[in-house]
Amino acid sequence: MNAAEMVEVVLPGKVEPEGLEVRQGPVPAAGRGQVVVRMEATGVSFAEQQMRRGRYYDQPPFPFVPGYDLVGTVIETGDGVAPGLAGTRVAALLKVGGWATHVAVDAADVVPVPDGIGAAQAETVVINGITAWQMLHRKARVRAGQTVLVHGANGGVGSVLVQLAHAAGVRVIGTASARHHATLREAGVMPIDYRTENIPVRVRELAPGGVDAVFDHVGGRSVIDSWQLLAPGGTLVSYGSASTRDDEGSKQWPVLKLLARVWLWNALPNRRRAYFFNVWAGRALTPSRFRARLRNDLTEVFTALHRGDITPAIAAQLRLDRVAEALRLAESGTVSGKVVLVP
């Protein structure tokens, strides 16, 4: 590959991982207000697993380049951008487009990565870290001494949630399959096996008065149980519908059903709150406020990573052209942490 060429991964349609296409093309130029970032790490999130099946609720039409986030170095700045940004390591939340060696991004959307944090380490906490931080501190507003329930406590978002909760002095009950329980116990989590145990019964044994917050990415029946497990004044944060991953039919319907349920619960006088968390909320209406909040919160996450409150969990690091293998590994449910792609 010569210096002026980029490599990108294209999702052509609903395909098996091996159907992803690796293409070469010219490196994009920085338009007005943009920077070109040379990718050093991107990753496989649940979103890309959904997009491959055509199941992500607002994915673009095929074909497109997936990649929810990336970390890399600014190599070119466009008009209207401070030239001093060149040479800086940054992170960006994109939704799509990250699975490429070079990406043009609006300069307002990049967040500097502090010195002392490696690209792959930083990548593990971009979408996962911002999601965990905002759910914990902006939605649930947890306080020291509280108890929370984290579904999928070993997952990408779940594992960061657990660590940020502990850093805030919060007790954590976590659901996961049995093979992850030893690791969770070492991390100070009270584990529940979602496959073999009755989750509501076990949670009531561990927190008789209910929990102060539940973080639920499962959706479906789980979210109703989660709501019923809240203590007075508690908060449910729903952030997905993983239980509908392999369903056919409308990809919007599970989300709309969740939103309707959340609206109904909040309309009732019950001293509890429910939220459906979407990391992009507010971007279209108040872009400058959205960006300021993202920059602030991601900087908090990077500070926590630097301080050692969060340990970066890299499940595997694979080259971009081995993306099929990376996706298979991420979807296997056998690994802990994030599968990271590098150039």
Side-chain angles (χ1 to χ4, degrees):
M1 185 179 85
N2 66 47
E5 247 181 358
M6 77 152 173
V7 174
E8 62 182 8
V9 174
V10 178
L11 182 57
K14 286 195 216 177
V15 292
E16 290 302 305
E18 291 70 23
L20 287 159
E21 296 167 5
V22 179
R23 291 188 197 163
Q24 291 191 1
V27 169
R32 181 166 186 79
Q34 288 189 318
V35 295
V36 173
V37 178
R38 185 180 63 235
M39 184 269 285
E40 292 169 38
T42 180
V44 184
S45 310
F46 185 66
E48 289 97 15
Q49 300 173 35
Q50 292 284 69
M51 288 177 190
R52 178 179 79 70
R53 297 172 168 84
R55 299 290 307 161
Y56 192 76
Y57 65 98
D58 66 345
Q59 69 189 69
F62 297 118
F64 63 92
V65 175
Y68 216 92
D69 57 10
L70 65 78
V71 172
T73 297
V74 175
I75 58 165
E76 188 196 333
T77 56
D79 290 346
V81 178
L85 206 51
T88 309
R89 177 176 275 167
V90 295
L93 198 59
L94 307 164
K95 194 182 285 188
V96 292
W99 289 1
T101 55
H102 300 78
V103 182
V105 190
D106 285 350
D109 287 329
V110 301
V111 178
V113 176
D115 291 343
I117 300 176
Q121 295 174 308
E123 164 57 28
T124 65
V125 298
V126 183
I127 181 56
N128 292 345
I130 199 77
T131 300
W133 179 272
Q134 291 187 344
M135 291 197 302
L136 204 62
H137 294 293
R138 291 197 180 269
K139 295 299 182 195
R141 299 178 182 273
V142 295
R143 298 185 306 279
Q146 291 187 326
T147 301
V148 303
L149 170 62
V150 175
H151 284 288
N154 64 296
V157 174
S159 56
V160 182
L161 259 172
V162 164
Q163 295 176 82
L164 288 175
H166 281 147
V170 173
R171 281 174 77 221
V172 181
I173 301 167
T175 70
S177 58
R179 69 166 161 260
H180 298 294
H181 285 199
T183 310
L184 288 175
R185 278 194 197 92
E186 278 168 35
V189 176
M190 295 170 273
I192 297 174
D193 187 343
Y194 67 88
R195 289 198 171 110
T196 63
E197 295 185 85
N198 181 317
I199 295 171
V201 169
R202 280 293 289 133
V203 172
R204 287 284 180 205
E205 287 169 4
L206 295 166
V211 290
D212 299 292
V214 184
F215 302 95
D216 188 311
H217 69 302
V218 184
R221 172 71 226 178
S222 172
V223 86
I224 299 167
D225 289 339
S226 293
W227 174 253
Q228 291 168 347
L229 288 168
L230 290 175
T235 306
L236 165 65
V237 188
S238 166
Y239 66 105
S241 53
S243 62
T244 65
R245 186 181 86 166
D246 299 318
D247 290 5
E248 294 300 320
S250 163
K251 57 180 179 273
Q252 281 85 17
W253 180 238
V255 174
L256 292 172
K257 217 156 60 171
L258 267 175
L259 287 170
R261 193 164 265 149
V262 162
W263 180 86
L264 180 66
W265 281 334
N266 287 333
L268 301 170
N270 53 42
R271 294 178 57 210
R272 294 174 290 179
R273 296 287 303 161
Y275 294 100
F276 181 75
F277 178 81
N278 170 14
V279 76
W280 301 101
R283 189 176 193 216
L285 294 171
T286 52
S288 59
R289 192 163 152 232
F290 171 86
R291 283 166 161 157
R293 195 171 57 207
L294 182 76
R295 177 175 294 256
N296 175 81
D297 296 353
L298 192 49
T299 302
E300 290 274 11
V301 170
F302 285 146
T303 304
L305 183 65
H306 203 253
R307 211 171 32 226
D309 289 347
I310 311 171
T311 306
I314 301 168
Q317 212 165 298
L318 295 162
R319 276 198 342 231
L320 193 59
D321 57 8
R322 290 173 64 191
V323 66
E325 203 179 322
L327 201 47
R328 285 246 177 251
L329 189 62
E331 292 186 11
S332 69
T334 60
V335 292
S336 255
K338 184 138 191 187
V339 176
V340 175
L341 293 164
V342 295

